[in-house]
Amino acid sequence: MSHPRSTPISTRTFSRRRFTQIAASTAAFGAFPHANVSAASAQRVYGANEKVNVAIIGCGGMGGSDAKSIFNTKMVNVVALCDVAMGTKHTAAIEEKFPDVPRFKNFRVMFDKMSNQIDACTVGVPDHSHFPIAILAMSLGKGVYVEKPLAHTFQEIELLMAAEKKYGVACQMGNQGHSGANFHQFKAWKEAGVIENIREVTANMNAGRRWHPWTFDEWQTGETMPDGIDWDTWAGTAAKHPYSNKLHPGNWRSWFEYGNGAFGDWGPHLLDTVHRFLDLGLPERVTAVVLDGRRELIFPMASTIQFDFPERGDEPACKVTWYDGVKNQPPRPADLEDGRKMETNGKTIYGDGITFKGASHGSPLRVLPGEKANDLASDLPRYETGSNHHLNFVRAVKGEEQTRSSFDISGPLSQMFCIGVIAQRLGGELVFDRETKQITNNKVANELLVGPPPRKGWEEFYKL
């Protein structure tokens, strides 16, 4: 029997059936023509000083950081806190910062009780739970700020991109550097022809990962779950395994079933501007060149994954190679200054006779020494920066700006990494049809674009 994730992506249709528990006051909004004007904003005209009511979903780790950053815009009211571990040390700092705000452990209960009081939400939870929370919020007309990577599977991202068009809400993925100096610099240099004819890019993440010390490749059981955790909601659409501190908090990123490894964690910070301004889209071939310490359930200790992109308009074919693992570094650029170390997290962009070097997030590029670099030195275009990533999102909810990492932009970037994860998991070479969005040479890999069936009771999210 088919399940909500099993329909081929290229033929998937959407039928919106709202949860029966959602109050009548949250009736469907119509689609709006601009993807960065929220449905809520379209019904409600914000005054210049009127604040946006925001719910924080995920209050520990990066979710807690998002809560502080969005509050610091001075343009929001935090009206709800939601975390499966509410009341534990994991959420203590945010609970203390917002002592009088209603608290929830289940996002469905929160929206059921408070939907008409919420304009937007942040989603800072494990990768496997991004999709159900985001698409429910979008279907209710709420703007969504979703941490990177956008979702856990290729198809979940496909559904979120379609929902962005359908519901017309303001959407932003949390790759903060996409509002930083590197964004504005890359855009200006590309438009001025400084960055052109890029045929090769390398990106590396060589810091230690959570799973590197682990010697097991099996589900950890036998631990006592701390009081107060809603473990059923934590598992969400995915399979439910017994509680383990190798899953919560933070360690979920190590497992194929819940996380997207180093790709999901650092890829959106290293390759976001390369992907966007070189118009890479989706690769036509992904190859696992190196897989060290390969395991069935947990990400490898080191991997080298090559993405091949075809010619795209005036852009030449381009090879992007990813390196993770402490000692698995890319080749040192010939133009890199003597004695200068490679970045632990960085990228190298090779053009015609010129090489650009950069780190992650919003760090600007620098031009490596060389004859062409010397010629360019006095002619590099200036650029200005604008609102930071969280402020950009809040202004988009109010209809004042466009989000810089909307899902139509951050979605294909995240999908690229999803295919990379499949290569890490299965090895070998994957041939990808950019038109049908199918892997054509490996049936198992193609099925992983969709992923396993959602857990019983969570199917409805794939029909919104």
Side-chain angles (χ1 to χ4, degrees):
M1 180 179 295
S2 63
H3 60 79
R5 291 183 182 171
S6 66
T7 306
I9 296 169
S10 59
T11 59
R12 172 74 195 228
T13 58
F14 303 91
S15 60
R16 183 185 187 198
R17 293 189 293 155
R18 199 174 294 283
F19 288 108
T20 56
Q21 72 265 31
I22 297 299
S25 62
T26 62
F29 292 106
F32 292 87
H34 199 295
N36 287 290
V37 177
S38 74
S41 297
Q43 284 202 347
R44 168 185 170 191
V45 178
Y46 289 87
N49 298 317
E50 190 171 359
K51 294 187 176 182
V52 175
N53 292 334
V54 175
I56 306 298
I57 306 175
C59 300
M62 196 62 213
S65 178
D66 284 335
K68 295 173 185 177
S69 295
I70 205 161
F71 182 71
N72 288 342
T73 66
K74 304 185 185 306
M75 294 178 65
V76 307
N77 298 312
V78 174
V79 297
L81 301 177
C82 183
D83 194 291
V84 299
M86 193 65 68
T88 70
K89 64 180 181 180
H90 185 62
T91 62
I94 294 303
E95 291 189 70
E96 183 178 346
K97 186 173 181 65
F98 303 105
D100 302 320
V101 172
R103 293 158 168 73
F104 301 88
K105 293 183 179 180
N106 187 317
F107 67 94
R108 291 170 292 183
V109 174
M110 182 195 74
F111 280 123
D112 187 23
K113 292 186 176 181
M114 293 191 62
S115 181
N116 61 354
Q117 301 173 53
I118 297 169
D119 301 319
C121 64
T122 61
V123 182
V125 299
D127 295 354
H128 73 280
S129 291
H130 288 185
F131 171 77
I133 297 172
I135 202 161
L136 176 58
M138 294 166 76
S139 75
L140 296 172
K142 315 304 177 189
V144 289
Y145 182 103
V146 182
E147 264 308 321
K148 46 75 194 169
L150 191 51
H152 189 222
T153 70
F154 187 101
Q155 191 194 39
E156 287 178 344
I157 296 167
E158 196 78 4
L159 299 181
L160 288 178
M161 289 191 291
E164 180 180 51
K165 294 179 180 179
K166 180 176 182 178
Y167 297 118
V169 295
C171 299
Q172 181 96 300
M173 188 174 81
N175 50 338
Q176 308 95 311
H178 215 66
S179 290
N182 180 238
F183 171 88
H184 298 283
Q185 177 202 48
F186 207 120
K187 182 175 185 294
W189 286 14
K190 184 68 170 64
E191 290 173 349
V194 174
I195 298 175
E196 64 177 353
N197 296 328
I198 304 301
R199 293 179 171 83
E200 183 176 1
V201 177
T202 65
N204 59 293
M205 197 293 164
N206 300 128
R209 299 284 78 200
R210 294 172 179 268
W211 59 90
H212 285 171
W214 295 358
T215 58
F216 56 85
D217 186 26
E218 58 187 14
W219 294 107
Q220 302 294 287
T221 59
E223 297 176 36
T224 301
M225 184 168 66
D227 292 338
I229 297 179
D230 182 347
W231 195 241
D232 189 76
T233 298
W234 186 94
T237 62
K240 185 178 178 182
H241 296 282
Y243 171 83
S244 171
N245 62 18
K246 292 297 188 293
L247 291 172
H248 174 83
N251 284 323
W252 51 266
R253 194 181 299 283
S254 310
W255 303 81
F256 286 117
E257 194 158 348
Y258 295 111
N260 291 67
F263 266 138
D265 196 12
W266 284 92
H269 294 313
L270 288 165
L271 289 171
D272 58 334
T273 48
V274 168
H275 187 273
R276 179 169 186 175
F277 295 116
L278 299 186
D279 192 26
L280 290 178
L282 296 171
E284 63 180 2
R285 192 178 310 274
V286 180
T287 307
V289 180
V290 173
L291 291 177
D292 287 341
R294 181 178 169 188
R295 290 175 282 182
E296 182 180 355
L297 302 177
I298 301 168
F299 281 87
M301 297 297 187
S303 63
T304 303
I305 307 296
Q306 178 177 313
F307 300 85
D308 290 297
F309 297 88
E311 293 182 359
R312 307 160 316 283
D314 294 332
E315 299 288 349
C318 185
K319 177 178 71 173
V320 177
T321 309
W322 168 272
Y323 299 80
D324 66 48
V326 175
K327 297 181 180 181
N328 185 37
Q329 298 180 337
R332 182 182 177 87
D335 296 330
L336 188 63
E337 301 91 335
D338 290 342
R340 183 149 187 169
K341 293 182 179 180
M342 295 274 285
E343 296 91 347
T344 301
N345 310 312
K347 56 180 171 278
T348 307
I349 303 167
Y350 296 92
D352 289 341
I354 189 167
T355 303
F356 305 90
K357 198 80 181 72
S360 67
H361 291 68
S363 300
L365 298 172
R366 61 190 182 89
V367 183
L368 296 190
E371 182 177 344
K372 192 169 183 179
N374 296 334
D375 293 340
L376 282 172
S378 61
D379 295 324
L380 290 173
R382 296 178 179 273
Y383 57 92
E384 296 181 358
T385 59
S387 54
N388 70 34
H389 213 50
H390 293 87
L391 180 57
N392 174 233
F393 169 67
V394 176
R395 287 178 174 172
V397 173
K398 290 169 67 73
E400 298 171 356
E401 292 186 2
Q402 296 182 23
T403 52
R404 298 190 186 96
S405 195
S406 53
F407 292 176
D408 62 316
I409 291 167
S410 56
L413 170 68
S414 297
Q415 286 180 319
M416 166 189 167
F417 299 131
C418 284
I419 305 172
V421 167
I422 295 172
Q424 286 177 316
R425 192 169 187 172
L426 301 181
E429 179 182 275
L430 304 177
V431 179
F432 187 81
D433 188 317
R434 286 161 49 102
E435 296 298 323
T436 64
K437 298 184 180 181
Q438 301 285 295
I439 295 172
T440 60
N441 69 328
N442 188 315
K443 182 180 179 181
V444 173
N446 195 54
E447 290 173 350
L448 286 174
L449 291 174
V450 176
R455 192 160 58 97
K456 185 177 180 180
W458 292 79
E459 304 92 343
E460 193 72 27
F461 293 97
Y462 296 86
K463 304 173 185 177
L464 286 174

